[in-house]
Amino acid sequence: MAATHAFWLAGRRATGEETFDVTSPWDGRLVGKVAVPTDAQVEEAVAAAYAARDEFAATPAHVRAAALDHVSRRLVERTEEIARLISSENGKPMKWARGEVGRAVSVFRFAAEESRRFNGGEAQRLDTDAGGTGRLALTRRFPRGVVLGIAPFNFPLNLCAHKIAPAIAVGAPIILKPAPATPLSGLLIGELLAETELPTGAWSVLPVANDRMPTLVQDERLPVISFTGSDKVGFAIMDSVPRKHCTLELGGNGAAVVLADYASEKDLDWAATRIGTFSNYQGGQSCISVQRVVADAFLYERLVPKIIAAVEAQVTGDPSDDATDVGPLVSEDAAKRVEAWVDEAVRGGARLLAGGKRDGASYAPTVLADVPEDVTISCEEVFGPVLTLTQVDGEDAAFETVNDSKYGLQAGVFTHDVQAAFRAHRALEVGGVIVGDVPSYRADQMPYGGAKQSGVGREGVRYAMDDYTYERVMVFTGLAL
C-alpha cells in the first residue's frame, strides 16, 4: 500500500482531513497519497510566514547558507531514491531524473554561496555635485516580503528548488505550491528543510488544488509571486494582482537555427544529434525543448535525414529502464492533445516524416515538415515530443522566422561565425541565445527567462534573489570623504 505523504506547515509535518492520489503516468499505479491542507491550515501557514518575515530577514547569512548547504548534501546522498520518485510521479526516464536531482543539488549549493556574499552593499559618493558634499549613499537589498512560489509538473524537484533556494538565500519566507500531478518531490524538499535550523514560519510546502490558488494569489500578505507554467495562467495571475511583484516563467516554442556555414558532415551530425535528443527529452515537456528547426536551404536536404535518424534512434518505453530516452507525457489527456495538434497539421498539408502515433499517455517522437503557418502547432507551445522543420534562404530569413512567434524564451544558433552569433544575439527576440547548440541548454546559475509572452523577470539563483528583493538606500551626512 502506498504511503500517505504529509505536507509541511510552517516548518512542521502536518496532515489535513482529506488526501489525493498521485499515480504514475506510465502504468497508472498508485505512487502515493498526499494529505491536503484545510483552509484553516493554509491560513496558519500564511500567517506564520507573514509573522516570520522580519526575523527571517535578519537571520545571519551563515545560518541560511548552512541550511542550503545541508539540503544540497542530502540531495546528493539520496540521489537514486529521489530520481526514482521523480520518475514514478512524473514519468521522466531515469537518465533525465538523475540529471534533475543533480541540477537541484547545484541550485541549493549556488544559493548557499550567493547567500554568503549577497547584500554586501554598494557605496556611492554623492559629492559629485556641491549639494552632496560630505554625503555617502549606501545601497543594500531587502526582501520584498513573503514569496508565493507556484511550481509546474515537468521538473518537479528542480523548479521547486528554483523557488525555495533563492528565497531562503535572501531571508524571504516562502510558501511553495507544487503541481498537483507531481507534489512528492516538492514535499521531499520540505523533509530536508525540516532537518535544518531555519526559523519557524520561514517556509511551508502546501499541496493545494489549483482552484484554491486565487485566494492565495490575492492575499496581501504575499507580495511576491513566482510562477512557472502556461502563459494563459501566468498573465491571468499578473492581471489579477497588478500591484504585486510577479516573476513569470512561461512557455516557449524553442527554435534551433542551422546557418549555411554549419555545413560539414561533422557539423550536421552534431546538430542533428542534439536536435533529436532535445526535441524529445522529458517527453518534449520542457519550455526550451526544440520545437522548431529553421535550416538554411544550402544544407536543408542533407540535414533532414540526419534529424529523422536521430529522432528515430530515441528509445521509448518504461521510464524506470535506464535505456529509455523518452517516457510518457504527464497524462493521457496531454498525449491526446498532442495527437490532436499533429493530426490537425497533417490534415492542413504538413508532411509526417516520423512518429505520429499515440499509445495511452505516450506519444512517439514525431517530425513534421511543410507545416502551415495557421495551424495550432505552428502558433502554440506543443509541450510534447514533436518537431517541425522549416527551410529558409539566408540568415535574415532565419531570424525573421524565429521572431515570428508570440513566444521568446531561448533560441539555439548553429554557426561558427562569431559575427553571425552577435547578430543573432541582437536580432532574436528571446531571453537567451545558445550558440553552437540547441535552445534547451540551461545552466542553473545563469539568467533564465523570456521576452514577449514567454514571461517577465528572470530565474537563475542570483537573478531570482534580485527579483525577491528591492534596493533601499541610506545616506550618511557630514563625512570626511
Side-chain angles (χ1 to χ4, degrees):
M1 182 174 179
T4 297
H5 297 259
F7 54 87
W8 298 93
L9 195 167
R12 73 177 192 277
R13 191 185 303 269
T15 57
E17 299 170 354
E18 300 178 354
T19 63
F20 68 90
D21 294 343
V22 178
T23 58
S24 165
W26 169 246
D27 56 14
R29 67 184 171 85
L30 181 64
V31 178
K33 290 182 175 291
V34 175
V36 180
T38 65
D39 289 344
Q41 289 171 318
V42 172
E43 167 58 28
E44 183 181 347
V46 173
Y50 187 74
R53 66 195 191 286
D54 291 339
E55 176 190 0
F56 195 28
T59 302
H62 71 85
V63 173
R64 290 178 271 120
L68 293 162
D69 274 330
H70 174 83
V71 174
S72 182
R73 289 194 301 272
R74 293 286 282 138
L75 288 170
V76 172
E77 292 168 2
R78 297 174 64 177
T79 291
E80 192 68 11
E81 170 199 350
I82 299 169
R84 293 202 176 278
L85 180 67
I86 293 170
S87 182
S88 294
E89 69 172 341
N90 172 274
K92 183 173 299 192
M94 282 296 294
K95 61 167 52 176
W96 298 114
R98 292 188 186 101
E100 181 172 348
V101 178
R103 289 181 62 186
V105 167
S106 296
V107 168
F108 279 97
R109 187 181 75 248
F110 295 150
E113 295 166 355
E114 291 291 352
S115 69
R116 292 185 174 97
R117 56 179 171 255
F118 183 71
N119 217 1
E122 178 183 350
Q124 181 182 19
R125 293 180 67 134
L126 301 179
D127 61 354
T128 50
D129 289 315
T133 299
R135 295 181 187 269
L136 181 77
L138 179 65
T139 302
R140 297 165 62 201
R141 301 190 71 89
F142 293 85
R144 296 177 185 272
V146 183
V147 177
L148 173 59
I150 307 171
F153 70 81
N154 56 327
F155 289 85
L157 181 77
N158 194 42
L159 292 184
C160 287
H162 269 286
K163 308 300 182 190
I164 292 174
I168 292 173
V170 301
I174 180 165
I175 293 174
L176 176 77
K177 178 206 173 299
T182 57
L184 303 180
S185 300
L187 291 170
L188 188 139
I189 293 177
E191 180 182 333
L192 303 184
L193 286 172
E195 300 170 352
T196 72
E197 297 180 0
L198 293 174
T200 300
W203 59 274
S204 293
V205 182
L206 304 179
V208 298
N210 290 340
D211 61 9
R212 295 172 67 187
M213 283 310 300
T215 300
L216 280 172
V217 167
Q218 293 291 334
D219 196 307
E220 293 183 357
R221 295 167 295 178
L222 308 176
V224 180
I225 298 175
S226 178
F227 171 85
T228 302
S230 73
D231 57 321
K232 180 180 179 181
V233 175
F235 284 117
I237 289 173
M238 176 176 278
D239 291 344
S240 73
V241 285
R243 290 178 178 81
K244 289 195 177 190
H245 185 85
C246 295
T247 298
L248 307 178
E249 298 300 333
L250 308 178
N253 55 358
V257 177
V258 187
L259 295 181
D261 71 287
Y262 213 81
S264 72
E265 290 302 311
K266 181 179 178 181
D267 288 341
L268 296 181
D269 287 342
W270 164 256
T273 298
R274 299 295 283 177
I275 289 166
T277 298
F278 287 97
S279 59
N280 295 291
Y281 86 127
Q282 327 289 340
Q285 297 169 123
S286 168
C287 296
I288 47 176
S289 67
V290 185
Q291 182 170 333
R292 299 182 289 160
V293 172
V294 181
D296 193 279
F298 176 71
L299 47 75
Y300 181 83
E301 295 298 332
R302 294 167 53 215
L303 177 63
V304 168
K306 293 177 182 289
I307 290 176
I308 294 171
V311 168
E312 291 180 337
Q314 298 295 302
V315 178
T316 62
D318 186 344
S320 67
D321 187 335
D322 285 343
T324 297
D325 299 310
V326 185
L329 276 68
V330 72
S331 67
E332 186 168 354
D333 284 346
K336 286 179 177 178
R337 177 191 54 77
V338 173
E339 179 182 43
W341 288 15
V342 171
D343 290 348
E344 177 200 22
V346 172
R347 287 195 305 270
R351 290 187 295 129
L352 181 65
L353 304 182
K357 302 291 185 182
R358 181 180 66 83
D359 181 9
S362 296
Y363 196 79
T366 296
V367 181
L368 296 169
D370 303 329
V371 180
E373 294 181 359
D374 59 347
V375 299
T376 307
I377 211 164
S378 291
C379 307
E380 302 293 338
E381 178 183 38
V382 66
F383 225 59
V386 179
L387 180 65
T388 68
L389 307 178
T390 301
Q391 182 177 187
V392 295
D393 291 317
E395 176 187 303
D396 290 345
F399 294 166
E400 288 172 5
T401 300
V402 174
N403 288 339
D404 186 19
S405 170
K406 66 179 182 179
Y407 298 113
L409 192 48
Q410 292 197 158
V413 180
F414 289 91
T415 183
H416 298 294
D417 186 339
V418 173
Q419 294 287 0
F422 274 88
R423 288 193 295 269
H425 197 203
R426 183 177 64 243
L428 295 178
E429 299 166 350
V430 295
V433 177
I434 314 301
V435 179
D437 206 349
V438 290
S440 317
Y441 176 80
R442 178 185 179 184
D444 292 284
Q445 72 271 37
M446 78 184 199
Y448 175 77
K452 299 188 284 189
Q453 292 189 36
S454 285
V456 177
R458 291 294 180 269
E459 285 192 344
V461 175
R462 175 55 196 263
Y463 303 91
M465 290 167 68
D466 285 345
D467 255 323
Y468 291 171
T469 56
Y470 70 99
E471 292 175 321
R472 185 186 299 167
V473 66
M474 176 170 61
V475 176
F476 292 93
T477 304
L479 298 180
L481 296 175

